[in-house]
Amino acid sequence: MTTKNVAHHGSGRARRGLSKATIYGILTLYTLLAIGPIALIVMNSFKTRRAIFDSPFSLPNSETFSLKGYETVWDRADFPRYFFNSFTVTVLAVGLVVVFGAAAAYALAEYRFTGNTFLTLFLAVGVMIPIRLGTVSILKLMVSLHLVNTLWALILVYTAMGIPLAVFILAQFFRQVPRDLKDAARIDGAGEYRVFALALPLVRPGLAAVAVFTMLPVWNDLWFPLILAPGESTKTVTLGVQVFLGQFVSDWQAVLAALTLAAIPILLLYVIFSKQMLSGITEGAVK
Amino acid sequence: MTSASTTTDVVRGISARRWRFPRHVAVFLAPALLVYTAFMVYPLLDSLRLSLYSDEGAFVGLANLRELLPGGSLSSSFWNALGNNLVFFAFHFIVQNPVGLLLAVLLTQHLLKRGKGTYRTLIFSPTVLSVVIVGFIWQLILSPLWGVVSTPLLGLTSTALPTLSLMSVWQFVGIPMMFFYAVLVGIPEDLIEAARVDGANGWKIFWKIIFPLLLPMLGIISIITYIANLNAFDLIYSVQGALAGPEFSTDIMGTLFYRSFFGFQLQSGSTAMGATVATAMFVVILLGVLVYLFGWAKRVETYEL
């Protein structure tokens, strides 16, 4: 018994291969590589021009602290408006994707009707093909609808872009809603819309995953704002930052401040919701 | 009696629902299908159609596409961009997958008691940032002006593309990490324990049991990355501009598409050539998807756990 135990422990150590120190060591090093560059930018955005170049790796102190970069950004670019535009586009596009996507996913998962398979495949194609390939015609379409340089152009394109994956993910979730529950509601006289309303809260994790998957590419996109809404009044944060940085390349304080301003809100949101987001990705990956 | 008849009614109701196209189904489907068809499917098909016409609207068949083939006016740009794009993907495939897997394996070690969530959150954080921000962050850090790195990595034709590729890998490594992590935590403990009892060591357990279970996910990650890479634009445009310098050494399909459509400096823009480059991108993506479906997904075994 004793020998067996000893043998077990002995081989146990050999089996593990990785020591605790190695695991923590590699993870810590990689974490520094991941957040170091971001921290470097944020840190230096609060320093004087001289300090940025003389001692890039030290924290700002009372002598080197400066907000001049932020003043330049405030004077020269309309960041509140860019944020408002990005916020409007993202909230509306995500909202429409979730609502339209959930309704369509429910129909495909719940009812067997003529054309179900065809429609499922029709939507699945959109998961694989990037919408950017249709840009030439999207621009023509937006010109003819007089939507160029409006936020609606972006909202409509992003809604179309998000729907296929949303339907795909939500249909999986709706299939897991117990049939008895829905049939019980039907026996009680609930109409089909009411049954849908009952099933909806049961797929909340799916709705959250879809919202996350849809939100980031919309907020971060440069391509469509650049092509469909490059006007000053419709610029999103991503495009606004890109244009600003292009103009102020040599003003390092301003560039660092603009980068920090653009990065911090999304990082804060991420830190607050990271648990939900990462579990959404994990669930989405397995499905 | 009453309840029995109600039940049959419901059952009949359900089976009746199966074969018609009732109005509520149409109501559920209509908004999603309308927006998707009008702003995604129609433009994609219309772009394919436009590649067969000249800018003046005359039908020219495959003449536009021939401009991309050897001897055509866009041929050298096209093959340069395609080659660069495949190099861009190769960097992702070769670097992103092993690093992501290593991190995922480390995150699932039992010896890792504290900080698992923190490590995951922090390592994933660059992924949530805009590509534009990531591009500029690295552009500043790599700038010889700042002196953190003395070689102008982004300014040399030999190093610019690898540098940009690695910047992108740095940003997105969190995705394979999380996807592999999802598979790893789903592998039943019993399976590993059984192999251990049979005398397999850690290395053997990884290659003989865990790795085969990861292969389907490796395929999925790779095809997602391939499609995203062929569609990339924001990074190159932000860091190197629409001309994808130096000397087009970082030109990829997305930047070529942009220039062909809108024109840039000496090159004039063209709807027809924009649509043609988009069609070529579509073909290249389709080839990749076919390779994945028939070369990979068919051969790699998926195990139900």
Side-chain angles (χ1 to χ4, degrees):
Chain A
M1 190 64 207
T2 330
T3 26
K4 237 184 186 171
N5 258 336
V6 169
H8 184 83
H9 275 278
S11 60
R13 199 154 300 145
R15 258 190 269 119
R16 275 179 200 136
L18 295 165
S19 73
K20 204 169 170 175
T22 319
I23 296 170
Y24 277 96
I26 299 177
L27 282 175
T28 306
L29 273 180
Y30 196 87
T31 304
L32 288 177
L33 178 63
I35 59 167
I38 304 171
L40 195 65
I41 297 297
V42 174
M43 197 168 88
N44 280 288
S45 75
F46 294 104
K47 291 178 7 186
T48 59
R49 190 181 157 73
R50 195 189 179 85
I52 291 170
F53 286 101
D54 286 356
S55 48
F57 296 109
S58 43
L59 281 165
N61 56 37
S62 57
E63 237 173 82
T64 57
F65 182 81
S66 161
L67 289 176
K68 198 168 153 283
Y70 290 92
E71 286 162 18
T72 314
V73 172
W74 184 260
D75 289 342
R76 299 303 188 85
D78 197 353
F79 265 80
R81 176 183 283 273
Y82 303 160
F83 272 110
F84 175 78
N85 289 339
S86 280
F87 187 77
T88 310
V89 169
T90 308
V91 167
L92 284 174
V94 171
L96 290 176
V97 166
V98 168
V99 173
F100 292 179
Y106 179 76
L108 292 174
E110 175 70 11
Y111 309 108
R112 284 186 56 190
F113 53 88
T114 340
N116 187 317
T117 317
F118 168 76
L119 288 178
T120 307
L121 283 174
F122 180 68
L123 284 158
V125 171
V127 178
M128 282 292 196
I129 303 174
I131 193 170
R132 284 182 184 188
L133 299 186
T135 303
V136 173
S137 301
I138 289 176
L139 182 58
K140 280 180 68 175
L141 186 64
M142 292 303 173
V143 169
S144 61
L145 293 172
H146 302 289
L147 289 176
V148 171
N149 271 329
T150 67
L151 296 180
W152 277 108
L154 298 177
I155 294 165
L156 288 168
V157 168
Y158 292 140
T159 306
M161 174 175 102
I163 281 174
L165 190 63
V167 172
F168 194 72
I169 293 176
L170 289 174
Q172 311 266 20
F173 277 90
F174 276 121
R175 281 193 196 103
Q176 290 164 357
V177 176
R179 180 151 285 280
D180 295 356
L181 201 94
K182 291 174 281 192
D183 283 345
R186 288 187 180 113
I187 292 172
D188 288 344
E192 290 308 314
Y193 302 114
R194 179 94 193 97
V195 178
F196 171 60
L198 286 172
L200 206 52
L202 299 174
V203 297
R204 220 179 294 142
L207 298 174
V210 165
V212 169
F213 281 127
T214 315
M215 189 185 86
L216 284 175
V218 171
W219 181 277
N220 288 336
D221 187 40
L222 174 67
W223 177 262
F224 284 114
L226 181 68
I227 289 165
L228 299 176
E232 182 61 22
S233 63
T234 49
K235 265 186 202 145
T236 59
V237 173
T238 308
L239 179 61
V241 167
Q242 197 270 329
V243 172
F244 180 85
L245 296 184
Q247 286 166 353
F248 286 78
V249 161
S250 51
D251 186 343
W252 280 57
Q253 280 179 296
V255 166
L256 290 163
L259 280 173
T260 306
L261 274 178
I264 291 299
I266 202 92
L267 284 176
L268 275 181
L269 261 183
Y270 166 69
V271 169
I272 296 168
F273 292 108
S274 64
K275 245 201 194 111
Q276 289 86 334
M277 251 173 88
L278 294 180
S279 64
I281 289 171
T282 325
E283 266 181 55
V286 182
K287 287 234 184 300
Chain B
M1 188 61 212
T2 355
S3 85
S5 75
T6 326
T7 318
T8 33
D9 278 349
V10 168
V11 170
R12 198 179 303 136
I14 290 168
S15 57
R17 260 197 306 281
R18 283 182 177 182
W19 306 114
R20 282 185 289 129
F21 200 108
R23 194 166 57 174
H24 57 264
V25 173
V27 171
F28 282 133
L29 286 170
L33 286 177
L34 273 178
V35 177
Y36 171 66
T37 309
F39 295 99
M40 183 155 179
V41 178
Y42 162 74
L44 284 169
L45 293 175
D46 192 51
S47 280
L48 295 181
R49 183 186 69 83
L50 284 172
S51 73
L52 303 175
Y53 288 81
S54 73
D55 277 337
E56 290 72 39
F59 183 79
V60 294
L62 296 176
N64 290 332
L65 218 51
R66 225 170 285 138
E67 296 297 324
L68 304 182
L69 300 176
S73 61
L74 265 182
S75 171
S76 60
S77 316
F78 173 72
W79 293 100
N80 172 51
L82 183 59
N84 287 341
N85 219 148
L86 293 177
V87 170
F88 190 65
F89 169 67
F91 267 98
H92 283 79
F93 186 81
I94 294 167
V95 182
Q96 193 174 267
N97 287 323
V99 175
L101 180 55
L102 172 70
L103 294 170
V105 167
L106 292 175
L107 284 173
T108 49
Q109 295 293 309
H110 292 301
L111 284 170
L112 183 71
K113 295 270 191 300
R114 269 180 304 159
K116 183 187 288 186
T118 313
Y119 281 124
R120 235 173 31 164
T121 305
L122 293 177
I123 293 175
F124 194 80
S125 57
T127 309
V128 305
L129 290 176
S130 151
V131 177
V132 173
I133 297 179
V134 169
F136 274 101
I137 287 180
W138 280 104
Q139 197 181 9
L140 290 187
I141 292 174
L142 298 177
S143 164
L145 276 178
W146 209 356
V148 181
V149 182
S150 54
T151 326
L153 291 172
L154 290 166
L156 301 172
T157 48
S158 55
T159 50
L161 184 61
T163 307
L164 284 159
S165 309
L166 292 175
M167 279 155 59
S168 176
V169 169
W170 173 83
Q171 171 166 26
F172 290 116
V173 80
I175 290 178
M177 177 185 85
M178 287 310 299
F179 278 28
F180 282 132
Y181 179 84
V183 180
L184 289 173
V185 293
I187 298 176
E189 198 61 32
D190 308 4
L191 203 67
I192 309 294
E193 209 40 58
R196 201 160 277 173
V197 170
D198 287 346
N201 61 22
W203 199 240
K204 203 163 181 184
I205 289 174
F206 180 79
W207 286 112
K208 297 281 178 189
I209 299 176
I210 299 176
F211 192 69
L213 292 172
L214 289 170
L215 279 177
M217 186 54 88
L218 177 62
I220 292 170
I221 295 168
S222 302
I223 190 66
I224 294 175
T225 310
Y226 178 79
I227 296 173
N229 284 168
L230 273 159
N231 199 20
F233 164 82
D234 303 18
L235 179 69
I236 311 287
Y237 181 79
S238 302
V239 177
Q240 307 288 40
L243 286 175
E247 289 166 51
F248 296 108
S249 62
T250 57
D251 200 21
I252 57 172
M253 297 306 289
T255 39
L256 176 67
F257 177 29
Y258 181 82
R259 286 200 316 275
S260 314
F261 183 24
F262 290 100
F264 208 80
Q265 293 181 359
L266 294 176
Q267 192 177 348
S268 60
S270 152
T271 307
M273 285 324 287
T276 305
V277 173
T279 303
M281 289 165 80
F282 178 77
V283 172
V284 174
I285 288 175
L286 201 65
L287 285 176
V289 172
L290 289 177
V291 167
Y292 164 70
L293 287 177
F294 296 103
W296 181 285
K298 275 244 160 116
R299 283 183 205 177
V300 169
E301 234 161 307
T302 309
Y303 303 90
E304 284 289 334
L305 289 177

